[in-house]
Every structure is written in structure tokens, then in C-alpha cells.
mmCIF file of all heavy atoms in Angstrom:
data_model
loop_
_atom_site.group_PDB
_atom_site.id
_atom_site.type_symbol
_atom_site.label_atom_id
_atom_site.label_comp_id
_atom_site.label_asym_id
_atom_site.label_seq_id
_atom_site.Cartn_x
_atom_site.Cartn_y
_atom_site.Cartn_z
ATOM 1 N N PHE E 30 242.783 -77.585 -164.635
ATOM 2 C CA PHE E 30 241.412 -77.075 -164.590
ATOM 3 C C PHE E 30 240.991 -76.606 -165.980
ATOM 4 O O PHE E 30 241.825 -76.339 -166.842
ATOM 5 C CB PHE E 30 241.266 -75.931 -163.581
ATOM 6 C CG PHE E 30 241.968 -74.673 -163.986
ATOM 7 C CD1 PHE E 30 241.302 -73.681 -164.696
ATOM 8 C CD2 PHE E 30 243.309 -74.468 -163.677
ATOM 9 C CE1 PHE E 30 241.954 -72.512 -165.079
ATOM 10 C CE2 PHE E 30 243.969 -73.316 -164.047
ATOM 11 C CZ PHE E 30 243.294 -72.338 -164.752
ATOM 12 N N LYS E 31 239.681 -76.508 -166.170
ATOM 13 C CA LYS E 31 239.120 -76.028 -167.432
ATOM 14 C C LYS E 31 237.799 -75.338 -167.126
ATOM 15 O O LYS E 31 236.950 -75.893 -166.434
ATOM 16 C CB LYS E 31 238.894 -77.198 -168.393
ATOM 17 C CG LYS E 31 238.354 -76.788 -169.730
ATOM 18 C CD LYS E 31 238.244 -78.003 -170.633
ATOM 19 C CE LYS E 31 237.710 -77.629 -171.995
ATOM 20 N NZ LYS E 31 237.603 -78.817 -172.864
ATOM 21 N N ILE E 32 237.671 -74.105 -167.621
ATOM 22 C CA ILE E 32 236.431 -73.343 -167.453
ATOM 23 C C ILE E 32 236.005 -72.884 -168.841
ATOM 24 O O ILE E 32 236.720 -72.149 -169.507
ATOM 25 C CB ILE E 32 236.643 -72.125 -166.525
ATOM 26 C CG1 ILE E 32 237.181 -72.584 -165.165
ATOM 27 C CG2 ILE E 32 235.350 -71.349 -166.369
ATOM 28 C CD1 ILE E 32 237.590 -71.466 -164.240
ATOM 29 N N ASP E 33 234.835 -73.353 -169.267
ATOM 30 C CA ASP E 33 234.408 -73.032 -170.632
ATOM 31 C C ASP E 33 233.158 -72.164 -170.645
ATOM 32 O O ASP E 33 232.669 -71.752 -169.606
ATOM 33 C CB ASP E 33 234.227 -74.299 -171.460
ATOM 34 C CG ASP E 33 233.267 -75.285 -170.829
ATOM 35 O OD1 ASP E 33 232.562 -74.927 -169.867
ATOM 36 O OD2 ASP E 33 233.213 -76.427 -171.306
ATOM 37 N N THR E 34 232.688 -71.874 -171.833
ATOM 38 C CA THR E 34 231.539 -70.998 -172.109
ATOM 39 C C THR E 34 231.698 -69.619 -171.460
ATOM 40 O O THR E 34 230.773 -69.085 -170.884
ATOM 41 C CB THR E 34 230.189 -71.643 -171.715
ATOM 42 O OG1 THR E 34 230.154 -71.858 -170.306
ATOM 43 C CG2 THR E 34 229.951 -72.949 -172.460
ATOM 44 N N LEU E 35 232.899 -69.066 -171.583
ATOM 45 C CA LEU E 35 233.183 -67.732 -171.039
ATOM 46 C C LEU E 35 232.966 -66.660 -172.100
ATOM 47 O O LEU E 35 233.381 -66.842 -173.251
ATOM 48 C CB LEU E 35 234.637 -67.652 -170.568
ATOM 49 C CG LEU E 35 235.009 -68.500 -169.363
ATOM 50 C CD1 LEU E 35 236.521 -68.561 -169.218
ATOM 51 C CD2 LEU E 35 234.369 -67.925 -168.121
ATOM 52 N N PRO E 36 232.379 -65.546 -171.730
ATOM 53 C CA PRO E 36 232.286 -64.435 -172.680
ATOM 54 C C PRO E 36 233.699 -63.962 -173.041
ATOM 55 O O PRO E 36 234.579 -63.913 -172.181
ATOM 56 C CB PRO E 36 231.544 -63.346 -171.901
ATOM 57 C CG PRO E 36 230.841 -64.061 -170.797
ATOM 58 C CD PRO E 36 231.699 -65.245 -170.468
ATOM 59 N N PRO E 37 233.934 -63.630 -174.292
ATOM 60 C CA PRO E 37 235.252 -63.115 -174.674
ATOM 61 C C PRO E 37 235.609 -61.882 -173.853
ATOM 62 O O PRO E 37 234.742 -61.106 -173.462
ATOM 63 C CB PRO E 37 235.075 -62.750 -176.150
ATOM 64 C CG PRO E 37 233.949 -63.626 -176.616
ATOM 65 C CD PRO E 37 233.031 -63.734 -175.438
ATOM 66 N N GLY E 38 236.905 -61.741 -173.568
ATOM 67 C CA GLY E 38 237.364 -60.584 -172.806
ATOM 68 C C GLY E 38 238.622 -60.894 -172.027
ATOM 69 O O GLY E 38 239.220 -61.961 -172.162
ATOM 70 N N ASP E 39 239.016 -59.934 -171.200
ATOM 71 C CA ASP E 39 240.223 -60.055 -170.390
ATOM 72 C C ASP E 39 239.851 -60.455 -168.968
ATOM 73 O O ASP E 39 238.945 -59.875 -168.366
ATOM 74 C CB ASP E 39 240.990 -58.735 -170.378
ATOM 75 C CG ASP E 39 241.496 -58.357 -171.764
ATOM 76 O OD1 ASP E 39 241.860 -59.275 -172.528
ATOM 77 O OD2 ASP E 39 241.518 -57.160 -172.079
ATOM 78 N N TYR E 40 240.572 -61.428 -168.453
ATOM 79 C CA TYR E 40 240.313 -61.982 -167.128
ATOM 80 C C TYR E 40 241.598 -62.012 -166.314
ATOM 81 O O TYR E 40 242.693 -61.945 -166.861
ATOM 82 C CB TYR E 40 239.795 -63.424 -167.236
ATOM 83 C CG TYR E 40 238.440 -63.551 -167.862
ATOM 84 C CD1 TYR E 40 238.288 -63.567 -169.246
ATOM 85 C CD2 TYR E 40 237.301 -63.672 -167.077
ATOM 86 C CE1 TYR E 40 237.038 -63.693 -169.828
ATOM 87 C CE2 TYR E 40 236.044 -63.802 -167.654
ATOM 88 C CZ TYR E 40 235.924 -63.811 -169.028
ATOM 89 O OH TYR E 40 234.681 -63.930 -169.592
ATOM 90 N N LYS E 41 241.438 -62.164 -164.999
ATOM 91 C CA LYS E 41 242.546 -62.501 -164.111
ATOM 92 C C LYS E 41 242.203 -63.843 -163.493
ATOM 93 O O LYS E 41 241.064 -64.075 -163.079
ATOM 94 C CB LYS E 41 242.743 -61.456 -163.020
ATOM 95 C CG LYS E 41 243.526 -60.266 -163.503
ATOM 96 C CD LYS E 41 244.319 -59.683 -162.380
ATOM 97 C CE LYS E 41 245.282 -58.665 -162.964
ATOM 98 N NZ LYS E 41 246.057 -58.018 -161.967
ATOM 99 N N VAL E 42 243.206 -64.715 -163.421
ATOM 100 C CA VAL E 42 243.027 -66.055 -162.880
ATOM 101 C C VAL E 42 243.817 -66.153 -161.580
ATOM 102 O O VAL E 42 245.000 -65.823 -161.543
ATOM 103 C CB VAL E 42 243.520 -67.126 -163.872
ATOM 104 C CG1 VAL E 42 243.264 -68.518 -163.325
ATOM 105 C CG2 VAL E 42 242.875 -66.947 -165.243
ATOM 106 N N TYR E 43 243.158 -66.599 -160.521
ATOM 107 C CA TYR E 43 243.765 -66.773 -159.210
ATOM 108 C C TYR E 43 243.629 -68.244 -158.798
ATOM 109 O O TYR E 43 242.641 -68.894 -159.146
ATOM 110 C CB TYR E 43 243.056 -65.926 -158.148
ATOM 111 C CG TYR E 43 243.068 -64.449 -158.424
ATOM 112 C CD1 TYR E 43 242.091 -63.854 -159.209
ATOM 113 C CD2 TYR E 43 244.055 -63.637 -157.887
ATOM 114 C CE1 TYR E 43 242.099 -62.488 -159.457
ATOM 115 C CE2 TYR E 43 244.073 -62.275 -158.121
ATOM 116 C CZ TYR E 43 243.090 -61.713 -158.916
ATOM 117 O OH TYR E 43 243.105 -60.354 -159.155
ATOM 118 N N ALA E 44 244.579 -68.741 -158.029
ATOM 119 C CA ALA E 44 244.493 -70.094 -157.480
ATOM 120 C C ALA E 44 244.826 -70.032 -155.996
ATOM 121 O O ALA E 44 245.846 -69.460 -155.608
ATOM 122 C CB ALA E 44 245.458 -71.024 -158.205
ATOM 123 N N TRP E 45 243.955 -70.616 -155.181
ATOM 124 C CA TRP E 45 244.097 -70.568 -153.728
ATOM 125 C C TRP E 45 244.028 -71.973 -153.151
ATOM 126 O O TRP E 45 243.353 -72.841 -153.694
ATOM 127 C CB TRP E 45 242.979 -69.736 -153.107
ATOM 128 C CG TRP E 45 242.915 -68.338 -153.598
ATOM 129 C CD1 TRP E 45 242.199 -67.872 -154.658
ATOM 130 C CD2 TRP E 45 243.602 -67.201 -153.071
ATOM 131 N NE1 TRP E 45 242.387 -66.521 -154.800
ATOM 132 C CE2 TRP E 45 243.246 -66.084 -153.852
ATOM 133 C CE3 TRP E 45 244.479 -67.026 -152.005
ATOM 134 C CZ2 TRP E 45 243.732 -64.815 -153.606
ATOM 135 C CZ3 TRP E 45 244.968 -65.759 -151.753
ATOM 136 C CH2 TRP E 45 244.593 -64.663 -152.540
ATOM 137 N N ASP E 46 244.653 -72.163 -151.998
ATOM 138 C CA ASP E 46 244.587 -73.448 -151.313
ATOM 139 C C ASP E 46 243.216 -73.674 -150.690
ATOM 140 O O ASP E 46 242.748 -74.794 -150.585
ATOM 141 C CB ASP E 46 245.682 -73.553 -150.245
ATOM 142 C CG ASP E 46 245.534 -72.511 -149.140
ATOM 143 O OD1 ASP E 46 244.950 -71.440 -149.385
ATOM 144 O OD2 ASP E 46 246.032 -72.775 -148.027
ATOM 145 N N ASP E 47 242.540 -72.587 -150.286
ATOM 146 C CA ASP E 47 241.269 -72.673 -149.579
ATOM 147 C C ASP E 47 240.469 -71.410 -149.894
ATOM 148 O O ASP E 47 240.988 -70.306 -149.765
ATOM 149 C CB ASP E 47 241.551 -72.788 -148.078
ATOM 150 C CG ASP E 47 240.297 -72.863 -147.222
ATOM 151 O OD1 ASP E 47 239.190 -72.985 -147.769
ATOM 152 O OD2 ASP E 47 240.435 -72.797 -145.990
ATOM 153 N N SER E 48 239.225 -71.577 -150.260
ATOM 154 C CA SER E 48 238.417 -70.413 -150.635
ATOM 155 C C SER E 48 237.761 -69.714 -149.455
ATOM 156 O O SER E 48 237.309 -68.576 -149.585
ATOM 157 C CB SER E 48 237.331 -70.833 -151.627
ATOM 158 O OG SER E 48 236.433 -71.746 -151.007
ATOM 159 N N SER E 49 237.724 -70.342 -148.287
ATOM 160 C CA SER E 49 236.951 -69.791 -147.175
ATOM 161 C C SER E 49 237.502 -68.474 -146.632
ATOM 162 O O SER E 49 236.751 -67.686 -146.060
ATOM 163 C CB SER E 49 236.832 -70.816 -146.041
ATOM 164 O OG SER E 49 238.096 -71.158 -145.535
ATOM 165 N N ASN E 50 238.791 -68.194 -146.787
ATOM 166 C CA ASN E 50 239.357 -66.937 -146.284
ATOM 167 C C ASN E 50 239.666 -65.939 -147.388
ATOM 168 O O ASN E 50 240.341 -64.944 -147.145
ATOM 169 C CB ASN E 50 240.632 -67.215 -145.477
ATOM 170 C CG ASN E 50 240.345 -67.907 -144.169
ATOM 171 O OD1 ASN E 50 239.243 -67.823 -143.644
ATOM 172 N ND2 ASN E 50 241.321 -68.610 -143.650
ATOM 173 N N VAL E 51 239.191 -66.199 -148.598
ATOM 174 C CA VAL E 51 239.452 -65.301 -149.724
ATOM 175 C C VAL E 51 238.292 -64.315 -149.854
ATOM 176 O O VAL E 51 237.152 -64.721 -150.055
ATOM 177 C CB VAL E 51 239.633 -66.094 -151.044
ATOM 178 C CG1 VAL E 51 239.809 -65.147 -152.213
ATOM 179 C CG2 VAL E 51 240.825 -67.036 -150.918
ATOM 180 N N GLU E 52 238.593 -63.040 -149.746
ATOM 181 C CA GLU E 52 237.569 -61.990 -149.881
ATOM 182 C C GLU E 52 237.479 -61.557 -151.341
ATOM 183 O O GLU E 52 237.777 -60.422 -151.697
ATOM 184 C CB GLU E 52 237.913 -60.815 -148.975
ATOM 185 C CG GLU E 52 237.864 -61.149 -147.504
ATOM 186 C CD GLU E 52 238.134 -59.944 -146.619
ATOM 187 O OE1 GLU E 52 237.764 -58.812 -147.000
ATOM 188 O OE2 GLU E 52 238.709 -60.146 -145.535
ATOM 189 N N TYR E 53 237.054 -62.478 -152.199
ATOM 190 C CA TYR E 53 237.035 -62.229 -153.643
ATOM 191 C C TYR E 53 236.068 -61.118 -154.045
ATOM 192 O O TYR E 53 236.211 -60.541 -155.115
ATOM 193 C CB TYR E 53 236.733 -63.520 -154.407
ATOM 194 C CG TYR E 53 235.471 -64.216 -153.982
ATOM 195 C CD1 TYR E 53 234.248 -63.870 -154.533
ATOM 196 C CD2 TYR E 53 235.499 -65.213 -153.025
ATOM 197 C CE1 TYR E 53 233.088 -64.498 -154.144
ATOM 198 C CE2 TYR E 53 234.347 -65.861 -152.632
ATOM 199 C CZ TYR E 53 233.144 -65.498 -153.199
ATOM 200 O OH TYR E 53 231.988 -66.121 -152.807
ATOM 201 N N GLY E 54 235.121 -60.766 -153.194
ATOM 202 C CA GLY E 54 234.200 -59.673 -153.477
ATOM 203 C C GLY E 54 234.715 -58.317 -153.027
ATOM 204 O O GLY E 54 234.054 -57.302 -153.222
ATOM 205 N N ASN E 55 235.909 -58.290 -152.433
ATOM 206 C CA ASN E 55 236.493 -57.063 -151.909
ATOM 207 C C ASN E 55 237.685 -56.671 -152.789
ATOM 208 O O ASN E 55 238.768 -57.232 -152.648
ATOM 209 C CB ASN E 55 236.935 -57.298 -150.460
ATOM 210 C CG ASN E 55 237.568 -56.089 -149.817
ATOM 211 O OD1 ASN E 55 238.012 -55.151 -150.479
ATOM 212 N ND2 ASN E 55 237.639 -56.117 -148.483
ATOM 213 N N PRO E 56 237.511 -55.691 -153.698
ATOM 214 C CA PRO E 56 238.592 -55.327 -154.624
ATOM 215 C C PRO E 56 239.888 -54.922 -153.934
ATOM 216 O O PRO E 56 240.973 -55.272 -154.397
ATOM 217 C CB PRO E 56 238.008 -54.158 -155.427
ATOM 218 C CG PRO E 56 236.539 -54.270 -155.278
ATOM 219 C CD PRO E 56 236.300 -54.909 -153.944
ATOM 220 N N GLU E 57 239.803 -54.209 -152.806
ATOM 221 C CA GLU E 57 241.012 -53.790 -152.099
ATOM 222 C C GLU E 57 241.760 -54.996 -151.531
ATOM 223 O O GLU E 57 242.981 -55.096 -151.624
ATOM 224 C CB GLU E 57 240.668 -52.790 -150.990
ATOM 225 C CG GLU E 57 241.878 -52.231 -150.283
ATOM 226 C CD GLU E 57 242.840 -51.490 -151.209
ATOM 227 O OE1 GLU E 57 242.401 -50.892 -152.202
ATOM 228 O OE2 GLU E 57 244.058 -51.531 -150.940
ATOM 229 N N TRP E 58 241.031 -55.936 -150.952
ATOM 230 C CA TRP E 58 241.640 -57.149 -150.418
ATOM 231 C C TRP E 58 242.326 -57.933 -151.538
ATOM 232 O O TRP E 58 243.445 -58.409 -151.367
ATOM 233 C CB TRP E 58 240.585 -58.014 -149.733
ATOM 234 C CG TRP E 58 241.155 -59.168 -148.971
ATOM 235 C CD1 TRP E 58 241.450 -59.199 -147.649
ATOM 236 C CD2 TRP E 58 241.525 -60.451 -149.481
ATOM 237 N NE1 TRP E 58 241.976 -60.422 -147.300
ATOM 238 C CE2 TRP E 58 242.032 -61.211 -148.404
ATOM 239 C CE3 TRP E 58 241.478 -61.038 -150.736
ATOM 240 C CZ2 TRP E 58 242.484 -62.521 -148.557
ATOM 241 C CZ3 TRP E 58 241.936 -62.338 -150.899
ATOM 242 C CH2 TRP E 58 242.432 -63.062 -149.809
ATOM 243 N N MET E 59 241.657 -58.041 -152.672
ATOM 244 C CA MET E 59 242.236 -58.776 -153.801
ATOM 245 C C MET E 59 243.495 -58.086 -154.312
ATOM 246 O O MET E 59 244.473 -58.753 -154.661
ATOM 247 C CB MET E 59 241.214 -58.947 -154.924
ATOM 248 C CG MET E 59 240.085 -59.905 -154.592
ATOM 249 S SD MET E 59 240.617 -61.605 -154.296
ATOM 250 C CE MET E 59 241.076 -62.113 -155.948
ATOM 251 N N ARG E 60 243.500 -56.756 -154.366
ATOM 252 C CA ARG E 60 244.704 -56.032 -154.811
ATOM 253 C C ARG E 60 245.876 -56.287 -153.862
ATOM 254 O O ARG E 60 247.012 -56.437 -154.298
ATOM 255 C CB ARG E 60 244.433 -54.530 -154.903
ATOM 256 C CG ARG E 60 243.886 -54.086 -156.235
ATOM 257 C CD ARG E 60 243.906 -52.577 -156.378
ATOM 258 N NE ARG E 60 242.974 -51.884 -155.508
ATOM 259 C CZ ARG E 60 241.667 -51.782 -155.706
ATOM 260 N NH1 ARG E 60 241.130 -52.325 -156.770
ATOM 261 N NH2 ARG E 60 240.897 -51.134 -154.865
ATOM 262 N N GLN E 61 245.593 -56.323 -152.568
ATOM 263 C CA GLN E 61 246.649 -56.507 -151.571
ATOM 264 C C GLN E 61 247.121 -57.951 -151.479
ATOM 265 O O GLN E 61 248.293 -58.199 -151.220
ATOM 266 C CB GLN E 61 246.170 -56.046 -150.199
ATOM 267 C CG GLN E 61 246.016 -54.558 -150.083
ATOM 268 C CD GLN E 61 245.502 -54.141 -148.706
ATOM 269 O OE1 GLN E 61 245.288 -54.975 -147.821
ATOM 270 N NE2 GLN E 61 245.278 -52.856 -148.542
ATOM 271 N N ASN E 62 246.234 -58.911 -151.653
ATOM 272 C CA ASN E 62 246.564 -60.312 -151.378
ATOM 273 C C ASN E 62 246.597 -61.226 -152.594
ATOM 274 O O ASN E 62 247.194 -62.295 -152.532
ATOM 275 C CB ASN E 62 245.569 -60.893 -150.366
ATOM 276 C CG ASN E 62 245.634 -60.177 -149.045
ATOM 277 O OD1 ASN E 62 246.590 -60.334 -148.306
ATOM 278 N ND2 ASN E 62 244.636 -59.359 -148.755
ATOM 279 N N GLY E 63 245.928 -60.835 -153.656
ATOM 280 C CA GLY E 63 245.840 -61.714 -154.815
ATOM 281 C C GLY E 63 246.974 -61.507 -155.806
ATOM 282 O O GLY E 63 247.400 -60.389 -156.032
ATOM 283 N N LYS E 64 247.455 -62.592 -156.339
ATOM 284 C CA LYS E 64 248.467 -62.540 -157.392
ATOM 285 C C LYS E 64 247.875 -63.220 -158.619
ATOM 286 O O LYS E 64 248.145 -64.396 -158.886
ATOM 287 C CB LYS E 64 249.745 -63.231 -156.939
ATOM 288 C CG LYS E 64 250.425 -62.519 -155.782
ATOM 289 C CD LYS E 64 251.698 -63.228 -155.370
ATOM 290 C CE LYS E 64 252.348 -62.520 -154.211
ATOM 291 N NZ LYS E 64 251.919 -63.029 -152.921
ATOM 292 N N GLY E 65 247.060 -62.483 -159.344
ATOM 293 C CA GLY E 65 246.376 -63.045 -160.495
ATOM 294 C C GLY E 65 247.236 -63.030 -161.738
ATOM 295 O O GLY E 65 248.154 -62.227 -161.877
ATOM 296 N N VAL E 66 246.914 -63.944 -162.641
ATOM 297 C CA VAL E 66 247.576 -64.037 -163.936
ATOM 298 C C VAL E 66 246.585 -63.547 -164.991
ATOM 299 O O VAL E 66 245.452 -64.030 -165.051
ATOM 300 C CB VAL E 66 248.003 -65.487 -164.228
ATOM 301 C CG1 VAL E 66 248.589 -65.608 -165.622
ATOM 302 C CG2 VAL E 66 248.994 -65.968 -163.183
#
């Protein structure tokens, strides 16, 4: 994958098999379930 034209800064990158069950707008859910790089 490639994502360009990003503002400089620190990011976390996540990869999922399916986006429909990912609560990416819920910080608590992401802390519990996400393993970002």
C-alpha cells in the first residue's frame, strides 16, 4: 500500500481483514483491539 500527501507528524498504521466491524472512531475500542505500528 501507499498513502501520500500526508501532513508531517506521527501516525499509527493498522491493517484489518474487514473494515465493517472496526470501530476506528472509538478510541477505547481501538486501544483494546487495535495493534497499530
